[in-house]
Each structure stands twice: as C-alpha cells, then as structure tokens.
Amino acid sequence: MRTQVGIVGAGPAGLLLSHLLHLRGIDSVVLESRSREYCESRVRAGVLEQGTVDVLNDSGVGERMRREGLPHHGIELRYGGAGHRIAFEKLVPGRAITVYGQQEVVKDLIAARLAAGGKIIFDVPDVGLHDLTGSPYLTFQDQTLECDVIAGCDGFHGVSRPSIPEGVLSIFERDYPFAWLGVLARVRPSAEELIYARGDRGFALHSMRSPEISRFYLQVPPDEPLENWPDERIWAELKARLETVPGFTLATGPILEKGVTPMRSFVAEPMQYGRLYLAGDAAHIVPPTGAKGLNLAVADVRALTAALGHWYSTGETGPLDDYSRTCLRRVWRAQHFSWWMTTLLHPFESDDAYGGRLQTSYLDYVTSSEAAATTLAENYVGMPW
Ligand code: APR
Ligand code: PHB
C-alpha cells in the first residue's frame, strides 16, 4: 500500500489531520490500534476553545456541534464560601467556549472521513514505524504502507514517540501529588456553567455534556483505586465540595461511567524527527484543569496541515522544518496555563500553610482584578492563533 501521509492513531488529532488533508486533496491512511466503538465511546475532554470550534465549522464538520454543543460565556470559581464568575463576554468580548464531548468530535470526524471514502483501519495493534529519515513506511499485521511522511497521533502511550532514537528528544515533565476521579452521570446539571471549586477537602469540578448529562471530577490521591469510590461516596463528596455557597443544591442521579485520570505535565521536544511529525498527546500532555488537551491537538494539526499543504504545493520545506518551533510556542503557553490553573485550585498536601495562603491570595486577585481575571479568561477561551 502507499499513501502520502501515514497517520498513526484515530483520536481527535489523527482524525482531524486526515480530514483537513483530504480537503487539500492530500491522501492519508489512518491506522488505529483499538476498535471504532472504543474510539467513539471513550469519555475524555469536553471543552472546545473558540479556535477549535472555528476549525470544525470552517472544515464542514461542525453541524452537530452547532446543534448539540453548549456555548458558554463564563465559568465560576468557588472558594471560601462564595462563587465568583469569570465573565468571558466582559473580559474577552466575542470569545467563548463550547461544551461538546470529545467522543462526539471523534464520531463526527469518523463519519465525515468514511463518507468521503477516507481510509481508517481499526484494530491494528502492531503498527511499526520504519526508515524515518529516509523513505518512511509503516508496517501492521502482514502489510506495509509506504508514505511520504508519518504523523504520530497515537497519544501519550503510543508507538510513534518511542520510535525516535534515544538522545534525540528532550523531555520536560512534572507530576502532581493527586489525580482526578472523573464521573459521568445521567442527571441534569445543577448550574448553567462550569464550577471550579477549591476547598479544604480538595478540588471538585462541575461540568456537563447535555441538559440531561453532567460531568464531574474530584481530586483524589494519585494512585487511588476506583473501588474506594462507590457511587454513594462520590455523591457525598461532590456535595461536600460543591454545596459550599448559599442556595446551591447538587442534583444526583445514576452514574454511567467513572475513572481515575493521573495528572501530568509533559513535553517532548522537538515534535518531529526526519519524516515523522508528532501531534497532540503523542508530543505533550497537560493536566486537564485548563481543558487544553484536545484544543492543543487541534492547534498542532492545523499547523501540520498548513505545512504539509505548502510542501505538496510548492516543494518548499520551510514550514515543515519549522513545525515543532511553530507548535511549541502555543504548547508551552498551554502548559503554563494548565499548571497555573492546577496549582491555583488544588490544595497540595505537600504544601505548607504559606503555600495555601498564596493560593487563596491569588484566587482573591483573579476574582477581584479585571486585569488578573482577563489573563485567566483569554487563556481559557484560547489565545488567538
Ligand atoms: N497504534 C495505533 N494507534 C494507537 C497506538 C498504536 N501503537 N497507540 C495508541 N493509539 C491510538 C489510541 O487508541 C487513540 O485512539 O491513538 C489514539 C490517540 O488518541 P488520543 O489519546 O485521544 O490523543 P490525541 O488524538 O492526541 O487527542 C488528545 O484527546 O484523548 C484526549 O486527553 C486527550 O484531550 C487530549 C486529546
Ligand atoms: C469536562 O467537561 O470534561 C471538563 C471541563 C473542564 C475542564 C476539564 C474537563 O477543565
């Protein structure tokens, strides 16, 4: 088999890249280790930056997002017995976020690719990358896929980044002394907007997926076994951490899915080697507090599409040579923001009393100074491209 761009991974990065390349007449094949059902049912992120919404709309895959997505114009920071709204419409006029599950984006992209005759090969667990600095090719099962270039969109645990020889990559990482317990429940959201709550018992996030489905997260110890969290305990802890302002009552309902997500900051530089280009979680990971993971994947793919399009149409390799440098500026802005939101909102057991006072002071600053609130708002809705 032969294609122009061999793509490893059918998550948001791989699927969007295949779709955007197709719109430029560039052929690709996507190789995915898991099943289509797995990819379409994986409950992950849920907040789309304005730029991500624009890319999906402008490339013709935004119809269901426009119909079912929830535009949000603010978030609440809840601490010290009070709620403080960060009003996007005032601080960053004209920019907002859309709450729309990542698995919905994946479904829309898979449907669009298959409708356009796109090639996505699911259930191939043995993908290998070869001859990255010469004539690259992919192997899987008993087949060979020759490519002009390979896009490594296979996430943090994929095979692409490890295919880069020792000594080439510089790794930058930070671990956190806690994880998030994510919960999906069939219950109407108890607030119109997202609530980020910081309290002595720990952090909690109230989010949603639709008028009938809510999404929650609880800060838990880093290697917390899921069996420590029966549904009753989850609701009791969510109530304890969210019902901290007068008049707010958390509605409860059947829990549909729950899982523990580790918190990690990670960047591999450069995001390219020979004819291999890494995009999305294959190259970088952020703690989910700033809701940046999916949006960073979109930004990488937008840059890679433009660079590949330029190369195929002019033969010039400039933008491709600069791909990593182009992406890393935005990656590090999102890394900093995600780290900052995480340290601002999570009591660290390792923190001394002094650290706790710094957090409260910064929260007071962000919720009382328009300048400070604007820094949160402009990063949250997404810095301009
Ligand atoms: N071979 C083929 N496919 C693989 C391999 C492999 N060796 N390893 C992983 N994959 C697949 C996974 O099954 C998954 O479908 O690659 C895909 C990677 O998708 P994501 O992990 O979603 O990464 P990405 O597309 O970069 O999206 C990043 O989405 O998953 C969230 O938290 C993530 O918000 C972030 C964003
Ligand atoms: C989600 O709805 O899944 C979500 C929202 C905001 C975050 C993280 C996750 O910061």
Side-chain angles (χ1 to χ4, degrees):
M1 292 166 67
R2 170 165 245 295
T3 187
Q4 290 174 291
V5 181
I7 300 173
V8 188
L15 291 167
L16 181 61
L17 178 62
S18 181
H19 172 63
L20 295 181
L21 291 173
H22 167 68
L23 297 182
R24 288 174 178 250
I26 298 169
D27 185 52
S28 65
V29 174
V30 181
L31 302 180
E32 165 58 47
S33 56
R34 306 295 291 262
S35 68
R36 175 175 177 179
E37 294 66 35
Y38 171 87
C39 295
E40 293 186 339
S41 58
R42 221 176 154 202
V43 180
R44 304 293 293 268
V47 168
L48 307 185
E49 289 178 355
Q50 188 65 54
T52 296
V53 169
D54 296 343
V55 168
L56 297 176
N57 281 328
D58 296 348
S59 65
V61 289
E63 192 272 329
R64 191 161 72 97
M65 174 188 64
R66 289 192 299 275
R67 197 170 67 243
E68 297 179 10
L70 307 169
H72 280 205
H73 300 279
I75 58 171
E76 178 186 328
L77 303 184
R78 186 172 289 185
Y79 72 100
H84 306 267
R85 185 166 184 267
I86 303 293
F88 301 151
E89 72 277 359
K90 181 162 73 74
L91 300 164
V92 283
R95 289 154 69 189
I97 57 163
T98 295
V99 174
Y100 188 64
Q102 169 174 313
Q103 70 270 40
E104 306 311 325
V105 175
V106 166
K107 283 178 200 165
D108 296 342
L109 287 168
I110 289 175
R113 290 304 299 126
L114 297 183
K119 291 184 280 302
I120 308 174
I121 304 176
F122 292 100
D123 297 307
V124 283
D126 60 344
V127 173
L129 289 74
H130 309 278
D131 200 7
L132 298 178
T133 55
S135 306
Y137 63 95
L138 295 166
T139 54
F140 60 100
Q141 286 147 344
D142 58 354
Q143 306 198 49
T144 297
L145 176 64
E146 296 177 0
C147 326
D148 296 335
V149 301
I150 295 173
C153 302
D154 45 350
F156 185 70
H157 301 289
V159 66
S160 297
R161 191 178 67 250
S163 300
I164 297 175
E166 281 292 314
V168 170
L169 295 177
S170 300
I171 302 297
F172 304 84
E173 55 190 332
R174 175 157 297 187
D175 288 325
Y176 297 86
F178 46 81
W180 271 14
L181 168 62
V183 178
L184 193 72
R186 183 175 306 288
V187 61
R188 62 170 174 74
S190 300
E192 291 295 309
E193 295 178 331
L194 274 67
I195 303 169
Y196 289 80
R198 181 190 185 282
D200 295 339
R201 300 177 69 94
F203 170 82
L205 171 58
H206 166 286
S207 183
M208 67 287 290
R209 289 290 179 273
S210 76
E212 299 78 33
I213 301 285
S214 292
R215 178 70 170 159
F216 302 100
Y217 298 92
L218 282 169
Q219 175 187 347
V220 296
D223 43 9
E224 183 76 340
L226 195 54
E227 48 271 15
N228 288 4
W229 289 89
D231 294 0
E232 305 69 45
R233 185 185 177 198
I234 288 175
W235 288 119
E237 196 59 34
L238 281 169
K239 280 176 169 291
R241 297 188 193 182
L242 287 164
E243 292 181 349
T244 56
V245 295
F248 178 85
T249 304
L250 183 71
T252 64
I255 288 180
L256 305 172
E257 194 263 355
K258 56 188 173 184
V260 177
T261 305
M263 301 288 266
R264 172 188 291 123
S265 296
F266 174 94
V267 180
E269 291 187 17
M271 292 171 50
Q272 62 194 96
Y273 173 73
R275 292 289 182 93
L276 169 62
Y277 300 89
L278 302 178
D281 276 15
H284 42 68
I285 294 283
V286 285
T289 325
K292 290 299 159 201
L294 172 54
N295 296 294
L296 270 185
V298 170
D300 291 348
V301 162
R302 187 174 173 274
L304 185 53
T305 301
L308 286 169
H310 185 76
W311 178 53
Y312 276 113
S313 55
T314 67
E316 291 169 3
T317 62
L320 266 184
D321 298 341
D322 283 347
Y323 166 70
S324 181
R325 218 178 350 267
T326 303
C327 292
L328 284 171
R329 182 176 171 80
R330 189 177 190 89
V331 165
W332 279 106
R333 173 85 309 272
Q335 287 283 334
H336 175 270
F337 176 68
S338 303
W339 164 83
W340 175 75
M341 276 280 273
T342 300
T343 53
L344 183 68
L345 291 163
H346 293 73
F348 281 42
E349 266 150 42
S350 55
D351 245 356
D352 55 8
Y354 181 83
R357 286 288 187 275
L358 285 182
Q359 283 181 327
T360 309
S361 163
Y362 212 135
L363 277 167
D364 289 341
Y365 179 44
V366 165
T367 54
S368 59
S369 152
E370 184 166 330
T374 302
T375 65
L376 192 162
E378 71 172 351
N379 279 279
Y380 196 90
V381 299
M383 301 300 284
W385 293 123

